Amino acid sequence: MNAHSDPVPTDSPRRAAQPGRTGRPEDVASASPGTAALACEGVTVSFGGRRVLDDVALAARPGRVHALLGRNGAGKSTLFSVLLGLLAPDAGTVTVAGSPFTRDSLRHIGASVNGPACYGHLSARDNLRVHTTLLGLPDAEVERVQALVGLGDVGKKKARNFSTGMKARLALAQALLGEPEILVLDEPQNGLDPQGIADLRGFLRERAARGGTVLVSSHQLGEVRHLADDATVLAGGRVRYSGPLTELAPGADGADGDLEAAFLRLTAEDAR
């Protein structure tokens, strides 16, 4: 492969010096009953004197899909960066399975943030082999995750020629390498067709059913209603709601039954 054909993706998911993963969903789930797999408390971040996150708390638990919701600029991407150790907060803590976040915590987490990141001159297989090499994982992992995300038959096609949906599938495959117990996914439905969205939903729900933890951001509120168990809503860098999705939007007959209406009400200040 020609290492100089394309620049290294600058928005690549957190991977590079991470140790090889050997975890399974039950490893985090068994930490202790009721312990969040991935959590933060009191997280505050400011850029240039402007507070982007203000005393944010979130707890994503094993066996559940947790949706992080907010309008553009609400602070979702910044919070993901803090949770993944890519950005040090001005204040607050992050824990994985109840223990303070360390570099070793990353072996429990698979992530895709800031959009799909891949080497355009490489095939899906070779893109994934870059990551298995960095993670110290066997080549068999490449075939396993390609099959899981529906990229097993793309052959030698270069990633630069992938559709948006195929790139989204490749980003998910990268996050799944090593069978992490926790998945952190930023807008994973982007670019997928209706069948792809349904397939992704089924995959993530099954993942949670087996004890895994899924934290996902999305603007597709209709899909969130089908996908998530819990939700945290950010507006103005602060948490406006965090808890079961059924309490945020109880049902069509409830006063707040429309998830969209509940979301728009809670985030109204970010629209001004």
Side-chain angles (χ1 to χ4, degrees):
M1 70 182 70
N2 180 358
H4 302 289
S5 296
D6 284 60
V8 174
T10 57
D11 57 348
S12 177
R14 170 248 3 101
R15 285 295 187 199
Q18 177 182 339
R21 286 199 284 257
T22 57
R24 296 294 184 270
E26 57 268 22
D27 294 336
V28 166
S30 64
S32 66
T35 299
L38 179 63
C40 65
E41 187 75 32
V43 167
T44 298
V45 174
S46 296
F47 295 136
R50 183 175 71 90
R51 187 158 288 188
V52 178
L53 295 176
D54 188 3
D55 195 30
V56 169
L58 178 150
R61 301 186 182 281
R64 299 179 73 82
V65 177
H66 193 117
L68 179 62
L69 307 177
R71 302 193 190 211
N72 290 336
K76 302 185 300 298
S77 295
T78 301
L79 181 57
F80 274 170
S81 293
V82 171
L83 291 172
L84 295 172
L86 299 172
L87 175 68
D90 301 324
T93 59
V94 176
T95 57
V96 176
S99 298
F101 183 94
T102 66
R103 187 169 188 79
D104 189 56
S105 302
L106 294 175
R107 71 185 182 87
H108 298 290
I109 304 171
S112 175
V113 297
N114 297 324
C118 57
Y119 297 92
H121 65 294
L122 299 180
S123 65
R125 174 181 173 79
D126 286 342
N127 265 284
L128 292 168
R129 287 185 67 189
V130 170
H131 291 278
T132 55
T133 299
L134 291 170
L135 293 167
L137 297 172
D139 282 350
E141 266 298 278
V142 173
E143 284 75 19
R144 185 185 72 83
V145 297
Q146 278 190 273
L148 280 176
V149 303
L151 288 179
D153 59 354
V154 296
K156 297 182 179 180
K157 185 175 183 178
K158 305 301 184 187
R160 66 162 63 95
N161 297 320
F162 283 5
S163 66
T164 304
M166 290 175 68
K167 289 178 180 177
R169 290 174 184 268
L170 179 56
L172 178 60
Q174 291 169 353
L176 291 171
L177 288 168
E179 297 193 71
E181 304 101 301
I182 303 165
L183 286 179
V184 178
L185 305 174
D186 185 15
E187 300 281 352
Q189 300 96 349
N190 281 359
L192 296 178
D193 61 20
Q195 184 62 59
I197 291 173
D199 290 344
L200 176 65
R201 181 197 317 141
F203 176 81
L204 296 180
R205 290 302 319 168
E206 180 184 359
R207 187 98 181 166
R210 293 192 294 111
T213 303
V214 180
L215 175 61
V216 57
S217 70
S218 180
H219 288 297
Q220 299 184 24
L221 299 181
E223 177 56 24
V224 168
R225 189 69 181 267
H226 295 296
L227 173 65
D229 302 295
D230 305 305
T232 294
V233 180
L234 288 180
R238 294 183 64 86
V239 173
R240 303 302 177 181
Y241 175 85
S242 193
L245 193 67
T246 53
E247 294 182 15
L248 175 59
D253 297 329
D256 296 324
D258 186 338
L259 178 58
E260 181 180 83
F263 173 82
L264 293 176
R265 185 183 68 253
L266 289 169
T267 63
E269 71 175 71
D270 279 358
R272 294 194 284 268

